[in-house]
Amino acid sequence: MSKLRKNVMMLAMLCAGGAAGSAGAEQKSVEVVHWWTSGGEAAALKVLKDDIARRGYAWKDSPIVGGGGDQERIVLRARVASGNPPDAVQLLGMTITDYAKEGLLGNIDAVAQKEGWAQVVPPPLQKFARFKGHWVAAPVNVHRTNWIWANKAIFDELKLTPPTSFDELVGLADTIRKAGYIPLAHGGQPWQEATLFDNAVMSAGGPKFYKQALIDLDPKALGSKTMEKAFEQMQKLRTLVDPHFSGRDWNLATAMVIHKKAAMQIMGDWAKGEFVKAGKKPNVDYLCFQYPGTAGTFIFLSDQFASFKVKEQQRPSQMVLVSTVMDREVQEKFSLLKGSIPARTDVQMDKFDDCGKQSMVDLKQASRSGALLGSFAHGYAMPEATQVVVKNVVSQFFNSDQSPAQATRQLASAVAHGM
Ligand code: BGC
């Protein structure tokens, strides 16, 4: 046999071995459904992917594009209905509870107990990660929606300071527009408008009202004059955006702030992930501050990985995935890139920037004062079916010339009738 032929045969044998090896590895794989496709999100996701690889498992990536996860939830429903759930799914609050109630989530108590999750996950997150006492999801982080991200160069150039009241915010916008910048970068998608609404309701009514209206779904609060004030804020915010906002993705809106086209964006702190990815620093290139009227409050959400009931042979992969998600070092690295703060309370905050540190301080303070409340826009306030209905009302209002009084009436009626 010629030397060349021998080499080719050896190569062929190696490849065959490799293929058999990868067929084995195929079983040691974990399919993860998520919607993290922006630059900052993908960078953070890589931390999880790398850790899974380190543990000898292959990551089967199933991204479903669409900020806020609206598309993901639709696709997931269909997959679950056809009896083909993924091993792990990024999900938010009440949607986890909904699936747990339907008996579709598997119990991950064994790994949770072994790793002592109950001691390090704060109770407001455990409320959603556990169902009837059993762990069904693993929380990776805590995000907050009542943030404004601002371009520091524009603020410096126009000698602006962060607004402390809603009227002041509108006042700044005039100055910003006259200088040729867009006051507010916004993406016209229902979940982004819902994110504005989290802020407007908290600002107009404070934490007690926010809870009554959006968490307790109290009909009086939903149809109240205070709710009208929240819609008035939404109406004014609508005048601060550029004409091309419709359908724009949130990260493109963030890019407008990064590139000095727009002065501000009202968005959860995943926006910070985009600044981090672009190499920008807080208080140097950008500012982070609370939406006026919401200082001291913390509208929270947490990205969690829910474990569906899967075939027995996939259970070990599922356990490995949740163990990765809950790893202390992974949580630190992940949140540094994602813009969030870790779900675990035992992660040191020294590597975090000023916005991250502020988030941690505010979280603790808000938790003590009763101002730590779940985000309506991101699934932590009301069941998903109601959330969809409310989002429609809010988005319709933002994109029409309805009056705040009409929208308030429509909101109360839509929640009462579920449509
Ligand atoms: C998720 C974030 C994500 C954002 C934008 C939110 O619902 O919690 O992790 O970055 O949507 O896609």
Side-chain angles (χ1 to χ4, degrees):
M1 202 186 299
S2 77
K3 202 167 172 205
L4 179 70
R5 189 135 183 257
K6 241 193 199 157
N7 283 347
V8 170
M9 276 183 66
M10 261 176 67
L11 196 68
M13 273 162 66
L14 272 177
C15 287
S22 70
E26 191 83 271
Q27 285 174 1
K28 283 183 74 178
S29 71
V30 50
E31 189 199 0
V32 186
V33 166
H34 63 89
W35 66 89
W36 285 331
T37 55
S38 78
E41 290 175 337
L45 186 68
K46 192 169 175 298
V47 174
L48 301 184
K49 286 183 180 171
D50 289 351
D51 194 71
I52 282 289
R54 192 181 59 77
R55 293 175 191 235
Y57 282 74
W59 174 284
K60 269 173 70 183
D61 202 35
S62 293
I64 296 165
V65 180
D70 286 346
Q71 293 313 314
E72 189 233 40
R73 285 184 286 277
I74 294 169
V75 173
L76 180 67
R77 260 290 154 211
R79 276 193 63 165
V80 172
S82 66
N84 176 31
D87 302 328
V89 191
Q90 176 199 355
L91 277 184
L92 300 171
M94 296 270 182
T95 309
I96 303 172
T97 312
D98 285 350
Y99 276 115
K101 278 188 187 151
E102 291 171 47
L104 293 165
L105 300 188
N107 174 324
I108 48 173
D109 283 349
V111 59
Q113 267 150 23
K114 186 164 152 254
E115 297 179 357
W117 296 1
Q119 284 77 56
V120 292
V121 174
L125 303 193
Q126 285 197 35
K127 200 174 145 208
F128 298 93
R130 298 173 84 161
F131 183 69
K132 294 193 174 156
H134 299 293
W135 291 88
V136 292
V140 70
N141 65 357
V142 179
H143 271 305
R144 179 188 201 180
T145 60
N146 54 316
W147 282 112
I148 295 187
W149 307 92
N151 181 294
K152 184 163 185 296
I154 299 182
F155 266 58
D156 288 351
E157 190 180 308
L158 305 178
K159 301 193 170 42
L160 307 176
T161 50
T164 53
S165 69
F166 185 74
D167 290 343
E168 235 178 273
L169 171 76
V170 179
L172 295 191
D174 279 344
T175 318
I176 295 166
R177 205 183 288 101
K178 280 187 195 124
Y181 303 110
I182 298 160
L184 190 65
H186 175 63
Q189 296 170 345
W191 74 271
Q192 295 191 58
E193 271 127 31
T195 303
L196 300 184
F197 197 61
D198 270 6
N199 285 279
V201 172
M202 186 65 96
S203 171
K208 204 165 153 230
F209 176 75
Y210 181 99
K211 181 172 179 299
Q212 278 168 349
L214 298 183
I215 296 177
D216 302 338
L217 300 174
D218 170 358
K220 272 208 208 98
L222 287 166
S224 65
K225 285 275 166 219
T226 311
M227 188 55 80
E228 255 182 69
K229 293 243 167 347
F231 278 110
E232 275 164 24
Q233 289 199 8
M234 294 291 286
Q235 196 174 43
K236 292 202 175 126
L237 292 176
R238 172 74 173 76
T239 66
L240 310 186
V241 311
D242 69 307
H244 311 294
F245 75 98
S246 191
R248 177 187 288 139
D249 287 333
W250 68 272
N251 52 321
L252 300 183
T254 312
M256 290 163 67
V257 179
I258 295 178
H259 297 120
K260 214 181 167 205
K261 293 206 161 41
M264 294 176 278
Q265 181 185 23
I266 299 162
M267 189 44 70
D269 34 18
W270 44 90
K272 197 184 84 180
E274 300 303 300
F275 286 96
V276 172
K277 183 86 179 59
K280 305 292 180 193
K281 300 263 173 296
N283 300 322
V284 177
D285 307 299
Y286 67 95
L287 304 170
C288 61
F289 49 87
Q290 264 47 70
Y291 183 94
T294 74
T297 74
F298 195 113
I299 309 179
F300 83 92
L301 61 132
S302 161
D303 290 303
Q304 308 213 8
F305 284 86
S307 306
F308 277 80
K309 283 185 179 152
V310 287
K311 294 197 189 86
E312 206 44 44
Q313 73 255 34
Q314 279 306 107
R315 289 281 288 162
S317 314
Q318 203 170 48
M319 295 298 181
V320 166
L321 189 271
V322 292
S323 179
T324 280
V325 165
M326 290 302 298
D327 182 275
R328 193 166 55 171
E329 213 178 297
V330 165
Q331 289 215 353
E332 181 189 45
K333 283 193 200 150
F334 177 90
S335 271
L336 283 168
L337 297 167
K338 186 69 171 62
S340 47
I341 54 177
R344 295 181 67 112
T345 51
D346 59 350
V347 179
Q348 294 299 317
M349 290 301 289
D350 46 323
K351 292 204 190 109
F352 284 75
D353 61 25
D354 291 349
C355 310
K357 287 192 177 115
Q358 185 191 331
S359 216
M360 185 52 98
V361 170
D362 289 356
L363 176 83
K364 287 187 183 147
Q365 193 209 319
S367 166
R368 281 193 295 268
S369 69
L372 173 67
L373 294 163
S375 159
F376 138 70
H378 298 271
Y380 278 80
M382 56 187 79
E384 194 184 322
T386 316
Q387 187 217 25
V388 169
V389 164
V390 175
K391 259 200 246 179
N392 283 343
V393 173
V394 170
S395 192
Q396 198 195 351
F397 170 76
F398 198 78
N399 292 284
S400 70
D401 51 12
Q402 243 188 359
S403 73
Q406 279 170 329
T408 303
R409 277 198 298 278
Q410 202 181 324
L411 176 69
S413 144
V415 172
H417 302 109
M419 52 194 281

